[in-house]
Amino acid sequence: MIEIYLFIHPLGQLCYEAECKLLDFIYQDSHKIHLQILPLVNLMTNTNVMKRAGYDASNLACRNAFLMQSYEAALDYKAAQLQGKKYARNFLLQLQTALLKQHLPYSKQLTEQLFKQTGGDLEMFREDRQSTLIKEMFWQDQCTAREMNIQQQTSAVIYNHDTQNVGLLLQGIDELQWIPNLCHTNQSATITLLENHS
């Protein structure tokens, strides 16, 4: 079994594109691939996403507003996860489409409307979204990113449990393009790539 930890900024355009490509690959691939999407929201990733999107990252009010929206979107995604990965992935992609493609403003009403479209339990989502558990889950994701030495959004760690429990860290959108090949490679090739990245 192959396990992929994908670290994304919920409002990052490149993150959204990487998610879509990776999900398309996983749905079409014959291997058993377990994907975990973890939101990575901190000052560095927030600044990177803002600059790429054309926002003035030196404007403190703009930075704070964007950071708060990013954090709220991450918490929405974590709340959706309590009803299952399928609901959460669908919700996250719909939220990103609304914010990044349709340029709709972030709001509680928008997130609830989008979650309802996934077919999940909206009342449960509302309750979960207000719980301290959701914030704890978010902070656990940030700790996992630090433990895995994630330096930027749109990064992944891949484990191939069929060969050995060695993780391969891919940082940035360019390296993520290797994932389909890495999922079909043999053990010695994986070890060589690990040595090249260390």
Side-chain angles (χ1 to χ4, degrees):
M1 182 186 78
I2 296 167
E3 189 168 24
I4 301 174
Y5 292 82
L6 178 64
F7 295 87
I8 58 101
H9 187 286
L11 302 186
Q13 180 66 40
L14 291 180
C15 296
Y16 169 74
E17 292 169 10
E19 285 168 61
C20 292
K21 288 178 184 175
L22 187 54
L23 287 169
D24 285 345
F25 163 69
I26 289 171
Y27 294 144
Q28 295 173 15
D29 196 75
S30 60
H31 287 78
K32 184 172 181 179
I33 300 173
H34 179 72
L35 174 65
Q36 292 193 50
I37 300 174
L38 295 88
L40 180 61
V41 179
N42 58 42
L43 292 177
M44 184 177 67
T45 61
N46 206 61
T47 300
N48 291 343
V49 170
M50 283 185 72
K51 287 180 178 177
R52 183 169 290 278
Y55 291 99
D56 181 4
S58 65
N59 182 318
L60 186 59
C62 185
R63 281 178 71 115
N64 288 340
F66 194 83
L67 181 60
M68 186 52 65
Q69 286 183 359
S70 303
Y71 176 63
E72 294 294 331
L75 294 182
D76 293 333
Y77 170 63
K78 298 310 291 182
Q81 280 186 321
L82 292 182
Q83 295 191 39
K85 289 182 181 177
K86 183 178 180 181
Y87 289 122
R89 282 183 196 157
N90 288 342
F91 168 74
L92 180 61
L93 290 173
Q94 287 184 36
L95 180 60
Q96 290 168 316
T97 299
L99 299 175
L100 302 173
K101 297 290 187 190
Q102 300 169 356
H103 305 288
L104 298 176
Y106 175 87
S107 69
K108 179 180 176 182
Q109 292 77 15
L110 175 65
T111 59
E112 290 185 356
Q113 174 191 342
L114 294 175
F115 185 77
K116 190 175 180 181
Q117 291 174 10
T118 68
D121 185 327
L122 181 58
E123 288 306 314
M124 185 182 295
F125 174 78
R126 286 174 176 156
E127 286 180 29
D128 291 337
R129 181 60 178 80
Q130 300 306 316
S131 72
T132 57
L133 174 63
I134 297 305
K135 292 177 183 175
E136 290 169 4
M137 290 170 60
F138 169 80
W139 288 112
Q140 183 56 52
D141 287 350
Q142 309 318 292
C143 291
T144 300
R146 281 193 298 277
E147 289 167 6
M148 292 186 172
N149 199 30
I150 304 299
Q151 301 295 320
Q152 57 183 297
Q153 72 280 6
T154 326
S155 295
V157 176
I158 304 173
Y159 292 95
N160 186 341
H161 296 290
D162 295 334
T163 56
Q164 58 183 351
N165 280 339
V166 176
L168 176 61
L169 172 62
L170 303 174
Q171 300 242 45
I173 194 75
D174 292 336
E175 291 189 8
L176 288 186
Q177 295 176 24
W178 298 352
I179 289 176
N181 291 335
L182 291 171
C183 289
H184 297 114
T185 192
N186 62 30
Q187 180 179 358
S188 60
T190 302
I191 292 171
T192 302
L193 279 167
L194 277 170
E195 290 170 350
N196 290 341
H197 280 281
S198 57

